[in-house]
Amino acid sequence: MRVKKFIVAANWKMNKTTAETLEFIKDFKLQFKPMADREIQFYPSFLSLPPFKNEMSALPIRYGAQNCSAQASGAFTGEVSAAMLKDFGCTTCLVGHSERRTLFGETNEDVALKSKALQQAGLTPMVCIGETAQQRTQGQTLEVVAGQLKAVLESIDLNTPFSVAYEPVWAIGTGKVPTFAEITEAHQFLRKQLVEKMGDIGKSIPLLYGGSVNSQNARDIESVPEVNGFLIGGASLKVASLLEIYFR
Ligand code: PGA
C-alpha cells in the first residue's frame, strides 16, 4: 500500500479578491495539463471558493477551505462548519496550520476535533504539524510533531482518508528550508508513527512537506524519501510558479 499521487497543494492564506482569483483561474486554465501521477489542490479564502466551483469543475482539481469549525451547527458567530463546506462542494480542508495555532491559539485538541468533524462530514482533513525554531534548537522536533500527530490520530477514524503536512514553522514564508537530512528524518519518523498506529494502511497516508517550497528547490525536495507532496504558500499565488512546481 503506497501513496498513489504526488500532491501539489496551494495554500493561498488571506490573499486574492474574487477578481484576482478569476484572473488566476483564467490563466491557470490556459496552461494546466493534468498529469496522471500528480494531484493539484487549492485552499483559497472562503470567498474565493465559488470561482473554483464555478470555473474549474471540468478540471481534475480538488479545492477546500483553510479552516473550519469543530462544531456541527448553532450559535458560533463567524464560523463555517465542515458540513457547509461539504455541501458547497469542497472535498478537503486544511486543519491546524501553524498560523492558526500561533495567531489564533488553536491547540492540538482543537485540531483533533476539527479533523474529526471534517471526516464525519465526508471531507479529507489535511492536518498541518511542525516545530518552531526554538523547539528545533532545543532538540524537541520529533517529540513536538509526534504529539501533534498523536492528538489527531487518537480522535479521527483511521480508516477514513486524511493527509498530513509537515511544515517547520521557521521555514514558512521565510525562504529558509530544512536540509534534506532534516526533512528525511522528520518524514521517516512520521511515517513510522503512522505505521505503528495504523499498520500497513499507514503507508498510504500522504505526507506533504511545506515551508518555502519554490520552483528552484521543489525537484530536490521531491526526491526526499517519504515526501508525497507539497503544501505551498507564497509560490502558489502565481500560475507560473505553481505550475513550474507541478510540471517540474
Ligand atoms: P510558504 O507557506 O510556502 O509561503 O512558506 C507554506 C504554508 O504556510 O503552507
Side-chain angles (χ1 to χ4, degrees):
M1 211 175 278
R2 287 262 149 228
V3 178
K4 292 190 191 80
K5 288 189 177 189
F6 192 89
I7 297 171
V8 175
N11 174 12
W12 279 5
K13 311 191 181 189
M14 200 172 72
N15 291 295
K16 292 197 193 292
T17 60
T18 303
E20 288 162 349
T21 303
L22 287 167
E23 200 179 316
F24 178 99
I25 288 176
K26 195 169 140 223
D27 197 12
F28 179 85
K29 280 161 93 175
L30 291 173
Q31 299 182 48
F32 177 67
K33 293 198 179 46
M35 292 169 73
D37 59 346
R38 286 177 188 270
E39 175 176 313
I40 193 153
Q41 302 182 353
F42 287 92
Y43 299 90
S45 76
F46 288 121
L47 290 173
S48 282
L49 282 168
F52 279 87
K53 176 169 163 166
N54 300 335
E55 310 290 330
M56 300 268 249
S57 57
L59 296 182
I61 63 146
R62 294 179 72 181
Y63 55 83
Q66 300 166 10
N67 179 35
C68 77
S69 173
Q71 307 294 333
S73 65
F76 301 100
T77 301
E79 294 292 275
V80 173
S81 73
M84 290 170 183
L85 295 175
K86 171 72 178 171
D87 174 61
F88 179 82
C90 295
T91 58
T92 174
C93 185
L94 300 181
V95 206
H97 188 279
S98 75
E99 285 147 21
R100 298 227 48 96
R101 292 179 190 258
T102 36
L103 302 173
F104 302 100
E106 283 190 15
T107 61
N108 278 346
E109 193 192 355
D110 295 327
V111 176
L113 290 173
K114 289 181 180 196
S115 303
K116 188 174 175 182
L118 284 164
Q119 278 194 333
Q120 284 175 344
L123 282 93
T124 306
M126 163 94 69
V127 181
C128 304
I129 60 178
E131 82 288 357
T132 62
Q134 193 187 14
Q135 288 164 336
R136 177 162 284 276
T137 320
Q138 293 175 351
Q140 296 166 347
T141 298
L142 300 183
E143 186 191 322
V144 168
V145 295
Q148 291 171 329
L149 183 64
K150 184 163 174 264
V152 171
L153 296 184
E154 280 173 356
S155 160
I156 61 171
D157 176 2
L158 299 176
N159 293 309
T160 302
F162 66 97
S163 41
V164 176
Y166 168 62
E167 299 201 297
V169 179
W170 51 273
I172 294 176
T174 58
K176 289 186 199 149
V177 180
T179 64
F180 298 143
E182 286 167 340
I183 301 176
T184 306
E185 183 191 36
H187 278 244
Q188 285 184 337
F189 175 77
L190 291 167
R191 177 68 67 208
K192 195 161 152 260
Q193 304 290 303
L194 289 168
V195 171
E196 267 171 22
K197 178 84 182 167
M198 305 170 64
D200 231 26
I201 189 181
K203 292 182 189 162
S204 69
I205 304 302
L207 263 178
L208 284 72
Y209 168 79
S212 296
V213 174
N214 59 39
S215 49
Q216 278 85 55
N217 61 27
R219 190 185 291 267
D220 285 340
I221 302 175
E222 185 174 340
S223 69
V224 174
E226 303 295 356
V227 170
N228 310 124
F230 296 135
L231 183 55
I232 310 161
S236 75
L237 292 170
K238 292 220 160 67
V239 174
S241 49
L242 178 65
L243 287 181
E244 262 178 63
I245 296 171
Y246 178 79
F247 289 130
R248 234 161 14 263

